[in-house]
Amino acid sequence: MTGVTLNKAVKKYGDIQTIFDVDLDIKDGEFCVFVGPSGCGKSTLLRMIAGLEETTAGEIHIGSRDVTNVEAAERGVAMVFQSYALYPHMTVEDNMGFGLKMNGHPKAEIKEKVAEASRVLKLDDYLKRKPKALSGGQRQRVAIGRAIVRGPEVFLFDEPLSNLDAELRVDMRVEIARLHKEIGATMIYVTHDQVEAMTLADKIVVLRAGRVEQVGAPMELYNDPDNKFVAGFIGSPSMNFVEGEVVGGKVTVPAFGGREITTSVALPGEGSKVIVGLRPQNILVKADEGAATLDLRERLGAVAYDHLICADGAKIIVETRGDEEIAEGSKVTLEFNDEDAFFFDAATEARLR
Ligand code: ADP
Ligand code: MG
């Protein structure tokens, strides 16, 4: 069976380094998601695993094989891209079977494999159609089918849902989760969308500027981020960050009118600055003459996002039910439990625990 291991993997284009000493251990059958902002190196890392980019230094292992210098076609992986790149003049059936046909597989075997992929992807009714008669989601399913028929040990997906509209994206996300359950192969999936990462992954790898910031299960990253970047990237709306100062063993927060937070984390010395993090779901907005101002309330239906300006001018977002009517522009009080606050070193942005 087939996991994927990266050992101090490095990518340089001439003098420009884009991937820095990445160590990763992706288990057999795992759904691993690379997530991070645009340009952080997700595609580069995936293409290095696929063999589409040379690895400048370090090693890549697939299963028990060192594939660092192995041709892409010999690595036992199949990749699905954002652009489906189907052959427009071929039917769905022929698009899916084309790779096998080119490799000289017998007709009967191709037919069987295409039928199996078509069943898994619910494409049976579309096999005789050409791509132009399919929706975006159906085209992407055909592209996935093309990968399935090759029977790869590892599937690589590079932002496969980015071209689809929001509703289809959700449908396809569910389809891909189901596909993983059904075929059980190792999958590595690249996205900049933290919701896709949270919902699909067994393991999330958060990347930033070519470096791994943290690896963990979705809820581990959400509940226990190692640094401010991961804390801010995972979760929606993003975690709020305000300044704090260590005074008398507690953290005083000017944004909240000098409110003190009691905590058991190891704080730096008296007078040190820290960053205080609070999730939008962990703050209560009370309609009274407090130190904050309700700037704007966005109603989404089940919830509302209150945009607030704090005592020191800091801006934060609070997720509420919006049950209590509060006029925009009015003064409010912000309440939260001390134990919901996260703390980060002001200089290194590392989590204080
Ligand atoms: P992501 O997929 O996370 O958006 P990429 O992996 O495409 O990011 O790119 C990572 C970084 O590598 C970017 O800064 C990009 O400009 C750089 N890069 C990608 N391809 C090349 C190339 N052929 N030559 C030089 N730099 C490149
Ligand atoms: Mg990319």
Side-chain angles (χ1 to χ4, degrees):
M1 298 302 271
T2 316
V4 176
T5 311
L6 274 63
N7 211 331
K8 300 260 167 300
V10 167
K11 179 69 191 179
K12 286 184 187 171
Y13 296 101
D15 288 342
I16 303 165
Q17 185 162 354
T18 57
I19 298 292
F20 296 81
D21 296 321
V22 169
D23 288 319
L24 272 183
D25 185 13
I26 300 164
K27 304 253 180 297
D28 177 44
E30 203 163 49
F31 200 118
C32 177
V33 176
F34 296 170
V35 72
S38 183
C40 70
K42 304 178 296 293
S43 294
T44 305
L45 202 54
L46 195 72
R47 293 170 61 85
M48 287 161 70
I49 295 168
L52 300 173
E53 292 281 354
E54 201 178 311
T55 299
T56 311
E59 287 175 8
I60 298 176
H61 293 247
I62 298 180
S64 56
R65 284 198 305 155
D66 180 346
V67 298
T68 317
N69 298 307
V70 171
E71 290 287 323
E74 306 299 322
R75 290 195 184 193
V77 305
M79 192 144 162
V80 178
F81 299 91
Q82 177 178 343
S83 62
Y84 330 117
L86 303 178
Y87 298 108
H89 58 284
M90 285 185 203
T91 61
V92 165
E93 195 169 29
D94 292 344
N95 262 290
M96 288 204 280
F98 187 67
L100 295 181
K101 189 172 163 195
M102 290 311 283
N103 287 334
H105 290 253
K107 265 200 174 125
E109 182 199 328
I110 297 173
K111 205 170 169 60
E112 189 182 317
K113 288 198 164 141
V114 168
E116 170 62 11
S118 153
R119 183 191 64 76
V120 171
L121 293 163
K122 302 200 185 93
L123 285 169
D124 287 348
D125 294 342
Y126 306 97
L127 287 174
K128 300 291 178 204
R129 287 201 197 174
K130 303 261 173 74
K132 69 171 187 305
L134 300 175
S135 70
Q138 288 162 345
R139 283 179 209 170
Q140 190 53 285
R141 295 222 294 270
V142 178
I144 294 170
R146 212 167 31 183
I148 292 177
V149 296
R150 295 177 47 198
E153 293 174 290
V154 180
F155 285 82
L156 307 175
F157 295 92
D158 193 351
E159 310 235 14
L161 308 187
S162 298
N163 281 350
L164 306 178
D165 62 43
E167 199 179 332
L168 256 180
R169 239 178 4 239
V170 175
D171 289 350
M172 278 302 290
R173 199 169 78 202
V174 174
E175 288 298 305
I176 288 176
R178 193 178 57 80
L179 178 71
H180 178 247
K181 248 195 210 112
E182 178 153 357
I183 62 183
T186 309
M187 295 189 174
I188 308 177
Y189 186 105
V190 161
T191 179
H192 63 274
D193 179 351
Q194 64 91 25
V195 176
E196 265 176 38
M198 288 296 283
T199 51
L200 284 170
D202 296 315
K203 175 184 279 173
I204 297 180
V205 178
V206 182
L207 290 166
R208 178 197 199 183
R211 290 187 165 84
V212 174
E213 291 284 308
Q214 191 171 356
V215 178
M219 289 312 283
E220 274 169 32
L221 299 195
Y222 181 81
N223 289 322
D224 198 13
D226 280 346
N227 54 51
K228 181 180 173 229
F229 180 79
V230 174
F233 198 80
I234 302 288
S236 175
S238 290
M239 185 182 282
N240 297 295
F241 299 107
V242 293
E243 282 179 10
E245 187 180 343
V246 179
V247 180
K250 296 180 178 181
V251 175
T252 300
V253 186
F256 302 141
R259 185 192 190 290
E260 288 180 339
I261 306 178
T262 305
T263 175
S264 59
V265 311
L267 294 169
E270 183 75 8
S272 299
K273 298 273 189 248
V274 294
I275 299 162
V276 179
L278 277 166
R279 294 220 178 262
Q281 296 80 9
N282 290 336
I283 305 175
L284 263 180
V285 178
K286 283 272 172 79
D288 56 24
E289 293 293 306
T293 306
L294 176 65
D295 188 35
L296 179 82
R297 171 169 282 179
E298 287 182 299
R299 286 196 179 275
L300 278 77
V303 297
Y305 295 156
D306 284 353
H307 295 249
L308 298 133
I309 300 170
C310 297
D312 67 343
K315 291 182 174 174
I316 66 165
I317 294 180
V318 174
E319 184 178 311
T320 70
R321 295 285 306 275
D323 292 339
E324 187 182 18
E325 278 303 332
I326 306 176
E328 288 175 350
S330 49
K331 290 284 182 193
V332 295
T333 301
L334 303 176
E335 291 184 358
F336 58 89
N337 293 326
D338 287 7
E339 56 270 28
D340 287 332
F342 291 80
F343 301 94
F344 305 90
D345 185 287
T348 66
E349 301 192 345
R351 171 91 178 283
L352 303 171
R353 298 180 198 268

